[in-house]
Amino acid sequence: MSLELSNLILHQITKNSDETFSVVRRNNPLNLDDSSQHFVAELHRVYSAKAGKGFAGFKTESACQQWLGQLLKNELPFYDFSVQCAERLYQELSKYPFAQAGILVLAQYRSLATDYLFIGLLNRCDSLKVTDDLDIHNSDYLDVAKMDIAARIDLSSWQTEPESNRYLTFIKGRVGRKVGDFFLDFLEAENGMDTKVQNQVLLQAVEDFCTDARIESNERQDVRKQVYEYCNGQLKAGEEVDLKELSDSLPDSPEGSDFAQFTAAQGYELEESFPADRSTIRKLTKFVGAGGGISINFDSMLLGDRIFYDPKTDTLTIQGTPPNLRDQLQRRQNLDD
C-alpha cells in the first residue's frame, strides 16, 4: 500500500497512584524510517478495517481544530501540536473513572491521495521473545490489533468541506464504556452522521418504495435481495453505499420516479453516500432473533413457505427441519423414551 508519512510521535500517558494522570513527553518526533512507515501502515490498515465507527465534526470553539489549522498552515510545529494534544488528553482522562494509561500516537500521513491525522491511545503490552541464541527476554509492544481508543481526521475533506459532519471518524467504545464520548470531548467534536440510522432509514425507504410502486410480494423479495447484494458488495469492497448508484439498479415506480427521487421527495434525509452496516442490511434477507434460550436465523423467503408465524398465538411453525438438527432431536428423543 502506498503511504507517505509526514510526521509521527509518541507520548506516554501515565496513571498515578492517586488516580491522576501525567504526561511523559518524547523530546522530538520519530525518524521517518522503514519501521515508522510500517507501523503507521499497520495503524491505517487496522483502523480502516474496524467496523461500526462513528462520524463527527469539530465544534466551532474546538481548540484542537484551531491547533490543527495552525499546523497545516505551518504556524505550529508538529511537535508543539502533539504536546498540546497530550496535555489536553491527560486532563480530559482525569474526568473518567474507567480511563486507562497508554501510549498516545499521533501520525500525519497521506494514503491514496488523501491526507490524514491519526490520534490514538494504544495499550502497551508485555510479551516474551526468543533471541538467536535461544534465550528468552521480556519485550514490550503496542497492541495495534486491539485499539479501541482512536480517531482519524480526513484532512483533505476537512479543508475542502469544513461544514461536513463526517470528516472525523472514531472507534465507538465497548458496551459499558463511553470511550467514544470521551474521545469526542478530548477533540471538542460532536456526533455527525449516524451510520446505523442511515441504514435503518434505507431499509424503511425500500419497503415504502415497494409499496408506493405497487410491487408484488414475490417481486418485493427480489428488490430486497438486490438491495442487500449491492450493499454487501460495497461493504466487502470497502466502499460506501452510493444512493444514486443503488437507485439506478432498482425498478422505477409506475409514475416514472426512481428510488433516489422517491427518498428525496418523501424527506427520508438519506446522505448521498454512507457506509453499509452489516447487522442492519442483513435484515433485508434474513430474520434473526435470540432470547429465552432460543436463537433463530432463517432466510426471509421461507416465511409463508416452510416457516409460518401466527401473531395471535405468537407461534412459529417450521416445516422440514435441517438434517443435522433433526438428527440431534431424534437422538435426544430416543434417549428420553
Side-chain angles (χ1 to χ4, degrees):
M1 180 185 67
S2 176
L3 186 147
E4 301 174 30
L5 180 59
S6 301
N7 289 293
L8 173 65
I9 197 167
L10 310 179
H11 297 297
Q12 184 171 4
I13 309 292
T14 61
K15 193 170 188 177
N16 306 316
S17 57
D18 60 356
E19 298 297 306
T20 61
F21 289 85
S22 56
V23 181
V24 179
R25 303 177 187 171
R26 180 181 166 84
N27 292 328
N28 54 284
L30 278 77
N31 292 328
L32 304 183
D33 53 20
D34 289 343
S35 295
S36 297
Q37 188 89 5
H38 177 75
F39 173 62
V40 175
E42 184 66 5
L43 283 176
H44 180 77
R45 184 191 68 80
V46 172
Y47 184 88
S48 298
K50 288 282 185 179
K53 290 190 287 288
F55 289 83
F58 285 120
K59 296 178 181 177
T60 305
E61 67 277 11
S62 169
C64 286
Q65 175 179 226
Q66 296 173 8
W67 301 336
L68 187 55
Q70 293 172 344
L71 172 68
L72 298 182
K73 292 177 182 177
N74 296 318
E75 297 173 357
L76 182 68
F78 181 78
Y79 177 78
D80 294 345
F81 169 77
S82 73
V83 169
Q84 290 175 332
C85 287
E87 293 289 338
R88 177 170 176 79
L89 176 59
Y90 96 81
Q91 293 172 7
E92 195 65 36
L93 278 168
S94 301
K95 302 175 184 178
Y96 294 82
F98 62 75
Q100 299 294 322
I103 301 297
L104 175 63
V105 180
L106 292 99
Q108 184 181 2
Y109 63 95
R110 167 174 283 220
S111 176
L112 299 177
T114 301
D115 294 318
Y116 293 103
L117 176 71
F118 173 90
I119 304 177
L121 189 65
L122 305 186
N123 291 328
R124 186 174 183 174
C125 302
D126 295 325
S127 183
L128 296 174
K129 69 175 181 179
V130 178
T131 67
D132 293 338
D133 297 327
L134 300 182
D135 291 326
I136 297 176
H137 291 288
N138 288 325
S139 176
D140 291 342
Y141 71 95
L142 293 178
D143 197 352
V144 174
K146 294 182 180 179
M147 72 168 82
D148 63 357
I149 303 179
R152 188 173 68 187
I153 302 166
D154 182 331
L155 299 175
S156 299
S157 294
W158 177 59
Q159 289 181 296
T160 56
E161 298 182 80
E163 71 284 353
S164 170
N165 62 357
R166 52 180 302 180
Y167 53 77
L168 190 158
T169 61
F170 62 97
I171 297 175
K172 292 185 177 180
R174 298 187 297 270
V175 176
R177 293 184 62 189
K178 295 185 177 181
V179 179
D181 291 344
F182 137 72
F183 222 56
L184 287 182
D185 288 345
F186 153 61
L187 294 168
E188 292 180 287
E190 54 191 359
N191 277 301
M193 183 187 70
D194 190 316
T195 300
K196 200 168 202 60
V197 169
Q198 285 287 302
N199 281 260
Q200 290 170 344
V201 172
L202 173 65
L203 264 60
Q204 185 60 55
V206 169
E207 296 301 323
D208 294 345
F209 178 72
C210 288
T211 300
D212 185 75
R214 296 188 288 278
I215 296 176
E216 298 295 332
S217 179
N218 58 331
E219 296 176 340
R220 182 175 296 210
Q221 186 60 35
D222 292 337
V223 171
R224 294 189 189 109
K225 183 179 179 181
Q226 196 171 346
V227 174
Y228 171 78
E229 289 177 346
Y230 170 78
C231 293
N232 193 48
Q234 295 297 98
L235 189 64
K236 289 181 178 179
E239 302 289 340
E240 294 192 352
V241 173
D242 185 292
L243 192 60
K244 182 64 170 63
E245 192 173 78
L246 171 61
S247 179
D248 290 342
S249 69
L250 298 178
D252 292 345
S253 69
E255 291 75 23
S257 63
D258 61 24
F259 180 67
Q261 292 169 334
F262 172 80
T263 59
Q266 298 300 319
Y268 285 96
E269 296 184 355
L270 283 168
E271 299 278 345
E272 292 182 0
S273 65
F274 52 89
D277 180 70
R278 191 183 308 278
S279 62
T280 303
I281 64 171
R282 186 174 58 168
K283 297 175 183 177
L284 285 162
T285 59
K286 287 186 178 294
F287 288 104
V288 180
I294 298 175
S295 179
I296 297 176
N297 179 338
F298 63 91
D299 290 340
S300 57
M301 67 177 62
L302 297 178
L303 188 65
D305 181 18
R306 289 175 48 200
I307 299 177
F308 304 89
Y309 177 64
D310 185 346
K312 294 181 179 179
T313 60
D314 192 25
T315 303
L316 200 66
T317 303
I318 303 174
Q319 294 181 350
T321 56
N324 57 347
L325 175 60
R326 186 186 316 126
D327 181 62
Q328 295 175 61
L329 294 171
Q330 291 174 345
R331 287 173 181 272
R332 177 59 62 88
Q333 192 170 45
N334 290 337
L335 290 173
D336 291 345
D337 288 343

